[in-house]
Structure formats: structure tokens, C-alpha cells
Amino acid sequence: MTILRSPRLDDGTARGIPDATVARLPIYLRALNALTERGVSTCSSNELAENAGVNPAKLRKDLSYLGSYGTRGVGYDVEYLRYQIAREIGQTQDWDVVIVGVGNLGSALSAYQGFSTRGIRVAALVDADPRRIGTTISGQTVSSLDDLGAIVSERNISIGIIATPGTAAQEVADRLVAAGITSILNFAPALVQVPDGVDVRKVDLSIELQILAYHEQRKAGTDKVVNA
Amino acid sequence: MTILRSPRLDDGTARGIPDATVARLPIYLRALNALTERGVSTCSSNELAENAGVNPAKLRKDLSYLGSYGTRGVGYDVEYLRYQIAREIGQTQDWDVVIVGVGNLGSALSAYQGFSTRGIRVAALVDADPRRIGTTISGQTVSSLDDLGAIVSERNISIGIIATPGTAAQEVADRLVAAGITSILNFAPALVQVPDGVDVRKVDLSIELQILAYHEQRKAGTDKVVNA
DNA sequence: AGGAGTTTGTGAACGCGTTAACAAAATCGA
DNA sequence: TCGATTTTGTTAACGCGTTCACAAACTCCT
Ligand SMILES: NC(=O)c1ccc[n+]([C@@H]2O[C@H](COP(=O)([O-])OP(=O)(O)OC[C@H]3O[C@@H](n4cnc5c(N)ncnc54)[C@H](O)[C@@H]3O)[C@@H](O)[C@H]2O)c1
Ligand SMILES: NC(=O)c1ccc[n+]([C@@H]2O[C@H](COP(=O)([O-])OP(=O)(O)OC[C@H]3O[C@@H](n4cnc5c(N)ncnc54)[C@H](O)[C@@H]3O)[C@@H](O)[C@H]2O)c1
């Protein structure tokens, strides 16, 4: 009698897609867009899986959580499937984000053109440094951290990006939450505590490189065997 | 009679630490450094786990793959454990990386001070744009992509970062591999194919935000219930 | 010396994610 | 119409990662 986080509810509504699947849906979307650009209008799971770099069985299982959008013996209609995935992950609308901390990384993020094609719009830039406040970065005026609450509610922003030093991360997170933000992407190498109902994802670029370094070290130890 | 990728080999040598554990070891390292700075010389698994934001049992299991470095009834010696983890993940030496593509993101990465304290050294910057080649960014001269092979072998670089547009990613990966690079961190939204023996990790910031957007969409649908 | 208290290291259970395998459902040609 | 062929959707098996729970090992106090 344990309560399961079942992908499908009893009423048949597809809900609660596994995290691992959610993380891959944007990849499929990108692959479908690439197929459209190449003029392909129908594809099999093998074809799409190849383009996305995943196992075909995994792709089909992932898609099965959304519904039954393929045709047996035929495959998937590229445009139709693209729309269904986009709808599922909320890409039929744009999501506004605020970047807090427009230093090296925050500036690079604010200049990135690739977000807009994925339904992400950088709607506001915020910093605490008086020398940065009021300046224009990538066509946007940098606002004060103190105006965060007003900006978030005015522009209906629900996602915040922390690109400040680690020491400021918790304070910034608290302010974002107080302003009504319910999703945070944290680039600072620090743990942030948030109340229930707020999602936090962490991107740690140092760790990515450290993981590669670990494998490099292991390779060095077995190189004689591998290169023999 | 299947061959297992066992954490421990028959001779007792600790090898083949699980991927999930490897990804957390740098977090523990950071937490241990923080404890040292606070003057703490001994800590329990509960204490360290709290600082790292993980379950204590998970922490102990992770550490058990490295060896038995704690004392029952006492806990861990912070400095000793820090050294053991550092040694395990290759942080007793510096790892040199080359950044290919010094645009917005590549420049931000090259300016980042946080890498050096984690054993990562940005040893070279490379670009294909003649207007960038020869300029100085974060105190380093930008070299031509054509000199990649010489730079990599001269400076003994084993890790490459791709920060070029997605369209150039595969070509850059090929060049990195040809130059002798065996680990790649790819920021471009593109799949890159590499030979066996070369590790590739992908960081996709759009997808991180898209995952948050998905959860935002779900929250919107259940808000009435949650906020009731 | 011995018992009470503390904390590690690990065995075992559990759950999630991945993958293989196949029945169901479609197309196509004869 | 029917059999051969293709490809999906799904079930079942498997492996990895997480977590609980506890014996083993240590400290400390009397
Ligand atoms: N630059 C990189 O490539 C890189 C790589 C990995 C991780 N990071 C992490 O990303 C974060 C940002 O890095 P960066 O290189 O852009 O740093 P940076 O120093 O260039 O920029 C930080 C910005 O945050 C602002 N800031 C400081 N405190 C603030 C506060 N309380 N509220 C609002 N703004 C505040 C500063 O004024 C500055 O503009 C850091 O945590 C860093 O560790 C950066
Ligand atoms: N800027 C961001 O915040 C951000 C966010 C997410 C993803 N990305 C991805 O990171 C990558 C870099 O982004 P960016 O904003 O820095 O782009 P950018 O256009 O600012 O810089 C790209 C750089 O790569 C160089 N380049 C192009 N072709 C090259 C080649 N064949 N060899 C070597 N160098 C080459 C260009 O000269 C330029 O300097 C892109 O793939 C982008 O999609 C960037």
C-alpha cells in the first residue's frame, strides 16, 4: 500500500514523467527540428534515436510516457511529434528568466542567442554592484537587486539564474524566493536552501572538469595496456 | 558468468569507483575545505553530509569505495580525508585545459578564477577567427586552431573545452582528438562523435532551463491544490 | 575492566532507469 | 483477401544508485 509516483494516473491522464525522460525531451525536440530543416517529414524511432544519440528502445519508452503519437509500421510524423513534445515541456510559450549577477558568466548568458529558440527569454538583469546598475548589457539595462520583487511581479518572471559569487548565493536565493521565483538555476559553487515548492538545479562547471580529470588519471594508469 | 565492473578488484585494489560517486567527490572536497577554513579538524559523516547536501548513508558508502579512512566512534580527520579524496580524483596535480572558441562563453571561462583552486589550469586559448587570434584574453594570447596540435603536445594538455557554435563542434572535436586530447567538455548544443578512449561530457544550459520550465508548467496546473 | 554511548563501514532491500524482446498494429504487394 | 514486412508500444528482466539498519569498532566514564 505504498503511494507510487506513477507516470500515469488512474484516470489515464499522462502525468509525472520520469526526471530522466524530461531531461531528454529537449534533445528529441532539437533532433526533430534538425530533421525538419533537412526536409524530413516522417521518421522511425531508429532514425530519431540516432540523431539524438540515444538507444531506440529508450526513445520509444520516453515517448510512451507522453502518449501514443506514432504509427506502427510507419513511424512518427516529425511536425506532429515536435508539437506534442513542445506542448508537454511547456515550449509552446516563452518563459521569462531573470539573471542575478552580470559578471563574466552572467553577461555571457545574457548575450546568448540560443535561449530564445528554446522558449527562454532573458527578461531582466540584476546586480548588486552600483557601478553595474544602470549600465546596458546585451541591450538590457541592469537593475538593482533591491528592485527584484517589483521586476519579478511586473514581468511575470518565474525562473531565476544565480550568477553571483558563491558567498552571495544564499542571500540571492532568499531574495528570489521572496520575490516569488519558484525555479532557480544556480551556477555558484554553493549549496542553497529553499522552501518546499521551489526547484533548484545546480550547474557546476568545475566539477565537470574534475570528473574528466579523474578519468584522465585512470587512463594514465592503464595506458600501457591500451596502447600496447 | 558475466564480467562485472566491480568497484573492487580481486586483488583488493580499490578501482572503478561508480560514476555517481565520482561526481560527488568534488562536492565532499569543497565541504572539507570549508570545514578546514572554519577551523574544524574532525567531523562525523552526519556533519560532512549536511555540509555537502547529501544523505549521510550515501556519503559513507561513497567514501567506502575509496577505502576506510574514518574511525568508528570518532569520525573523519578533515585534513586526512581531504587529501585521500584529492589523491583519488587526481587533484594532487594540476590539469591543463585548452579552450576552443573564445566568444562570450569561452572568454567567461578563461577569466574564471575558481578553476585554479580545483586543480584546473586554463593553459591555452584557441579560436578560428583571424580577428581574435593574437589578441589577449584574461592574460593569455589567443592562438590559431591550426596550431592546436603543437600547443597540446608542447604544454601536455589532456582536456579540451568546446565553446564554439554548434556547427563547428564536430570539426573542433575531430581536431582535438587528432591533437591527442582524450577528454572533452562540450558546451555546444550538438552531438559530437569521438573514437573509443575519448571521454565527452556535455553541458547544455538551455536544457537546464527547459527542465525548470517543465516543472513550472506542472506547478501552474496544480497550484490551486497546493495553495488551497 | 567493563558497560554505555558514538559512529563507521557494509549487507540487504528497494526503486528508478535502461535495454532487450515481442505482440499488436499498420503498410504493401500479389 | 492474405501473408510478408515494418515499426511501434509495452512488458519483463537487469543493473545501478539510494537508503535503511545494524554489527563492528572505537571512546569515555566509572
Ligand atoms: N565565469 C565562469 O566561467 C564560471 C565558471 C564556473 C562557475 N562560475 C560561477 O559563476 C558565478 C559567477 O561567476 P563570474 O565569473 O561571472 O563572477 P564575476 O565576479 O565576474 O561576477 C559576479 C557578479 O555578481 C555580482 N554580485 C555580487 N554579489 C551580488 C549580490 N549579492 N547580488 C547581486 N549581484 C551580486 C557582482 O557585482 C558581479 O557583477 C560564480 O559563483 C562562479 O563561481 C563561473
Ligand atoms: N554564451 C552562453 O551563455 C551560452 C549558453 C549556452 C550555450 N552556449 C553555447 O556555447 C557555445 C559558445 O557560445 P558563445 O555565446 O560563446 O558563442 P560566440 O559566438 O560568442 O563565440 C563562439 C566563438 O567560437 C569561434 N569559432 C567559430 N568557429 C570556430 C572553429 N571552427 N574553431 C575555433 N573557434 C571557432 C568564434 O570565432 C567565436 O569566437 C555555443 O555553442 C553556444 O550554443 C553558450
Side-chain angles (χ1 to χ4, degrees):
Chain A
M1 266 294 286
T2 50
I3 297 173
L4 298 172
R5 186 183 60 92
S6 72
R8 270 172 201 274
L9 260 49
D10 294 344
D11 60 4
T13 325
R15 288 292 89 192
I17 296 173
D19 292 344
T21 296
V22 171
R24 281 188 296 268
L25 291 178
I27 302 177
Y28 303 151
L29 212 44
R30 192 171 295 165
L32 287 167
N33 286 332
L35 287 174
T36 299
E37 273 169 33
R38 273 196 268 146
V40 179
S41 61
T42 298
C43 70
S44 67
S45 62
N46 275 324
E47 205 173 342
L48 184 54
E50 178 129 356
N51 276 273
V54 300
N55 182 302
K58 195 192 287 190
L59 169 72
R60 291 201 298 277
K61 181 136 232 304
D62 283 343
L63 295 183
S64 76
Y65 292 119
L66 313 191
S68 188
Y69 298 132
T71 310
R72 297 178 191 218
V74 179
Y76 301 93
D77 181 281
V78 172
E79 181 51 32
Y80 180 61
L81 182 59
R82 197 204 61 77
Y83 173 75
Q84 292 299 340
I85 295 178
R87 189 177 51 76
E88 188 66 41
I89 65 173
Q91 270 234 50
T92 46
Q93 60 181 288
D94 271 359
W95 294 90
D96 286 340
V97 308
V98 53
I99 299 177
V100 183
V102 281
N104 287 307
L105 186 59
S107 300
L109 293 171
S110 71
Y112 185 49
Q113 301 296 315
F115 288 141
S116 65
T117 55
R118 276 135 206 159
I120 306 293
R121 183 167 54 196
V122 177
L125 306 180
V126 168
D127 206 295
D129 187 343
R131 286 166 303 181
R132 294 201 200 259
I133 297 169
T135 62
T136 299
I137 294 180
S138 306
Q140 300 228 29
T141 305
V142 177
S143 302
S144 164
L145 185 61
D146 296 326
D147 299 332
L148 191 62
I151 291 168
V152 165
S153 47
E154 259 171 35
R155 307 189 198 173
N156 203 31
I157 299 174
S158 51
I159 301 174
I161 297 180
I162 300 179
T164 64
T167 49
Q170 183 61 59
E171 190 214 325
V172 170
D174 293 343
R175 293 233 199 180
L176 285 169
V177 170
I181 292 287
T182 45
S183 287
I184 295 175
L185 185 58
N186 179 24
F187 284 95
L191 212 65
V192 299
Q193 305 281 352
V194 294
D196 281 358
V198 178
D199 283 323
V200 177
R201 292 187 70 85
K202 196 175 160 216
V203 174
D204 199 313
L205 307 180
S206 294
I207 290 182
E208 296 299 325
L209 290 168
Q210 286 174 281
I211 293 171
L212 288 174
Y214 167 78
H215 290 295
E216 277 300 316
Q217 191 185 36
R218 295 210 63 206
K219 284 181 203 165
T222 52
D223 253 359
K224 290 155 219 142
V225 179
V226 171
N227 294 341
Chain B
M1 267 293 286
T2 50
I3 298 174
L4 298 173
R5 185 184 61 92
S6 71
R8 272 170 200 274
L9 259 48
D10 294 343
D11 61 4
T13 326
R15 287 293 88 194
I17 295 173
D19 292 344
T21 297
V22 171
R24 281 187 296 267
L25 292 179
I27 302 176
Y28 302 151
L29 212 44
R30 191 170 296 164
L32 287 167
N33 286 332
L35 288 175
T36 299
E37 274 169 33
R38 273 196 268 144
V40 179
S41 60
T42 300
C43 69
S44 68
S45 63
N46 274 324
E47 204 175 342
L48 184 54
E50 178 130 352
N51 275 275
V54 302
N55 182 301
K58 195 191 285 189
L59 168 72
R60 290 200 300 275
K61 185 147 257 291
D62 283 343
L63 295 184
S64 77
Y65 292 120
L66 312 191
S68 187
Y69 298 133
T71 309
R72 298 180 190 214
V74 178
Y76 300 94
D77 181 281
V78 172
E79 180 51 33
Y80 179 61
L81 182 58
R82 196 204 61 77
Y83 174 74
Q84 293 299 339
I85 295 178
R87 190 178 50 77
E88 189 65 41
I89 66 173
Q91 270 234 51
T92 46
Q93 60 182 286
D94 271 1
W95 294 90
D96 285 341
V97 309
V98 54
I99 298 177
V100 182
V102 281
N104 288 306
L105 186 59
S107 299
L109 293 171
S110 71
Y112 185 49
Q113 301 297 316
F115 288 141
S116 65
T117 56
R118 276 131 207 163
I120 306 294
R121 185 166 53 198
V122 177
L125 305 179
V126 168
D127 206 295
D129 187 342
R131 287 165 301 179
R132 293 200 200 259
I133 296 169
T135 63
T136 299
I137 294 181
S138 306
Q140 299 227 28
T141 305
V142 177
S143 303
S144 164
L145 185 62
D146 295 325
D147 299 332
L148 191 62
I151 291 168
V152 166
S153 46
E154 261 170 35
R155 307 187 199 176
N156 201 31
I157 298 175
S158 51
I159 301 175
I161 297 179
I162 301 179
T164 65
T167 47
Q170 184 61 58
E171 190 214 326
V172 169
D174 292 343
R175 294 233 199 181
L176 285 169
V177 170
I181 291 287
T182 45
S183 287
I184 295 175
L185 185 59
N186 180 24
F187 284 94
L191 213 64
V192 300
Q193 306 280 353
V194 294
D196 282 358
V198 178
D199 283 323
V200 178
R201 293 186 70 86
K202 196 175 159 215
V203 173
D204 199 313
L205 306 182
S206 295
I207 290 182
E208 296 299 325
L209 289 168
Q210 286 173 282
I211 292 171
L212 288 174
Y214 167 78
H215 290 294
E216 276 300 317
Q217 191 185 35
R218 294 211 62 209
K219 283 181 206 165
T222 53
D223 253 359
K224 290 155 218 137
V225 179
V226 171
N227 294 342

